Amino acid sequence: MGRDVSTMKRWRLLGLIVMVAALASSSARAQVPPHQPGTICFTPYFWCWAQPPGPPGAYCGCPGPYGWVQGILG
């Protein structure tokens, strides 16, 4: 019985490590090309080129499949 519990804990730990690694590598920011600050608008799900560019941290928006999505210039 004690051996089964230890094995279960190891599998849970392995699952947690794999899940954290998958979530950490799924960031859209990792796929952004080199750019000048304030020229890309970051939304919670994707990014777009800012039209017009502005100061980093200002609000912006990107066209999405269901309308305009608010973001922040970066």
Side-chain angles (χ1 to χ4, degrees):
M1 176 86 179
R3 191 171 173 179
D4 292 337
V5 171
S6 177
T7 302
M8 247 176 33
K9 285 182 180 181
R10 286 185 189 147
W11 279 110
R12 284 185 183 174
L13 178 61
L14 178 63
L16 179 64
I17 291 170
V18 169
M19 185 172 49
V20 168
L23 290 173
S25 67
S26 66
S27 176
R29 291 181 186 261
Q31 301 171 16
V32 175
H35 64 282
Q36 294 293 320
T39 58
I40 290 187
C41 181
F42 292 98
T43 74
Y45 307 106
F46 58 94
W47 62 269
C48 66
W49 292 104
Q51 296 296 328
Y59 289 108
C60 58
C62 293
Y66 302 105
W68 204 248
V69 180
Q70 186 172 349
I72 296 178
L73 290 175

